[in-house]
Amino acid sequence: MADDRPTGLKASKGIELLTWGTPNGWKASILLEELKEAYGTEYTWQGINISQNIQKEPWFTKLGPNGRIPVIVDHDQGGFAVQEGLAILAYLTRHYDPDHKFSFVDPLDISRSEQWMSWQHGGLGPMQGQANHFNRFAKERIAYGMQRYTGETERLVGVLDNHLKDKEYLVGNKFSIADIANFGWCNMLRVSGIDLESFPNVKAWTERILARPAVQRGIEIPSKSPFGNDTYQQKLKDDKEFAQKEEELAKQIKDAKEQYGYKYASP
């Protein structure tokens, strides 16, 4: 199913998810799997291979004008489309989480949840995305960009680690959409050049979330990603050539930090 090339919507009822295996995509697929487990909420999904630019095609941008995954379409609401992960989490819990298993009733907890979701949406996601770009995908390795965005990602993870020092979850002592919003990015910190062992509270939190069966199913939609922390570590053990390249990359990041006098501080 992940290999099929979508050319339009295929469902006529319920929620239809258009997504790919990225931290932003996982937000929607994890929550939909949790809703399915908790309430029996059925949904349909299609894999949108972003390397093929399917998300830029007219049929897709009609639904998600920004040309990014994920997008959901609620066929039971006249084909109402929602783009952006944060908005999708809010929409799904508002309409499909009547018992507030993954959301909140208390106005202050609602605000706390919104704050951590906004923090991810405006901080951790963009900064870590830039770290990935400069460390892995840029045509040339630019030392300033590598240390700038890897360092800022570390700072933000430090903020999260401090918040979690006496908490199991981000808000209200329960697993919620605040955790879902942040989990996907933290689940690929190792790929982003971050030493997860330096942030034990974040590490324990990600492991706690990853133990949930619905989360495990959600991060395998449309297929298992090679970027998860556990998958990355296993590849280091199994593939000596990959491990050597990663060691070289880690040295480049370290050298870039030294070149610009980077010193970790958080917040």
Side-chain angles (χ1 to χ4, degrees):
M1 188 172 181
D3 295 330
D4 296 339
R5 185 182 181 92
T7 57
L9 298 174
K10 68 177 185 180
S12 59
K13 62 180 181 179
I15 299 292
E16 183 166 353
L17 168 64
L18 308 174
T19 193
W20 198 240
T22 72
N24 286 329
W26 290 336
K27 295 174 187 176
S29 56
I30 286 173
L31 180 55
L32 283 165
E33 282 295 322
E34 290 283 1
L35 293 173
K36 183 178 180 179
E37 184 171 298
Y39 299 104
T41 306
E42 296 291 342
Y43 73 98
T44 304
W45 62 264
Q46 294 197 72
I48 304 299
N49 190 333
I50 57 177
S51 67
Q52 297 176 1
N53 274 337
I54 299 172
Q55 75 279 10
K56 304 295 185 182
E57 295 177 359
W59 73 269
F60 188 98
T61 56
K62 184 179 179 181
L63 303 167
N66 196 35
R68 298 286 191 273
I69 60 96
V71 167
I72 63 167
V73 177
D74 192 340
H75 292 287
D76 296 340
Q77 292 289 338
F80 186 76
V82 186
Q83 64 175 354
E84 297 296 333
L86 188 155
I88 290 171
L89 293 176
Y91 179 89
L92 288 173
T93 48
R94 187 180 301 122
H95 291 274
Y96 295 96
D97 184 24
D99 298 333
H100 299 283
K101 293 180 182 292
F102 311 104
S103 54
F104 301 94
V105 177
D106 179 83
L108 298 185
D109 277 343
I110 291 173
S111 177
R112 292 181 182 104
S113 178
E114 290 173 344
Q115 290 174 55
W116 281 109
M117 292 168 69
S118 298
W119 178 86
Q120 181 280 313
H121 204 262
L124 182 62
M127 294 302 101
Q128 192 174 342
Q130 290 298 318
N132 292 340
H133 174 78
F134 280 99
N135 292 342
R136 293 189 175 278
F137 304 119
K139 291 183 179 179
E140 58 181 299
R141 294 280 166 83
I142 302 172
Y144 180 79
M146 294 173 74
Q147 64 86 31
R148 167 71 177 90
Y149 292 107
T150 306
E152 178 62 4
T153 300
E154 287 178 338
R155 185 191 75 81
L156 290 163
V157 177
V159 171
L160 197 64
D161 194 71
N162 183 64
H163 180 71
L164 287 165
K165 66 182 178 182
D166 56 357
K167 298 177 179 68
E168 289 196 353
Y169 298 104
L170 290 178
V171 179
N173 203 29
K174 75 171 188 180
F175 175 75
S176 74
I177 53 176
D179 299 289
I180 294 174
N182 285 276
F183 165 76
W185 288 98
C186 291
N187 190 44
M188 58 174 292
L189 282 171
R190 296 187 191 278
V191 173
S192 303
I194 305 300
D195 177 17
L196 193 54
E197 309 304 323
S198 297
F199 303 100
N201 301 319
V202 170
K203 183 174 183 286
W205 169 78
T206 58
E207 291 172 350
R208 194 175 302 124
I209 293 173
L210 194 55
R212 299 176 66 90
V215 172
Q216 294 171 21
R217 294 192 297 270
I219 62 175
E220 292 194 5
I221 293 174
S223 59
K224 188 174 179 63
S225 170
F227 300 123
N229 290 328
D230 292 345
T231 306
Y232 173 81
Q233 278 192 302
Q234 191 60 49
K235 190 171 182 180
L236 286 179
K237 294 177 182 177
D238 297 341
D239 189 333
K240 291 183 179 180
E241 183 178 350
F242 175 76
Q244 183 177 352
K245 289 181 179 179
E246 290 302 291
E247 186 176 337
E248 293 170 358
L249 174 59
K251 185 178 184 305
Q252 287 181 311
I253 295 172
K254 181 176 180 291
D255 290 345
K257 288 177 176 179
E258 291 177 354
Q259 179 180 344
Y260 287 94
Y262 166 84
K263 293 182 180 179
Y264 170 77
S266 184

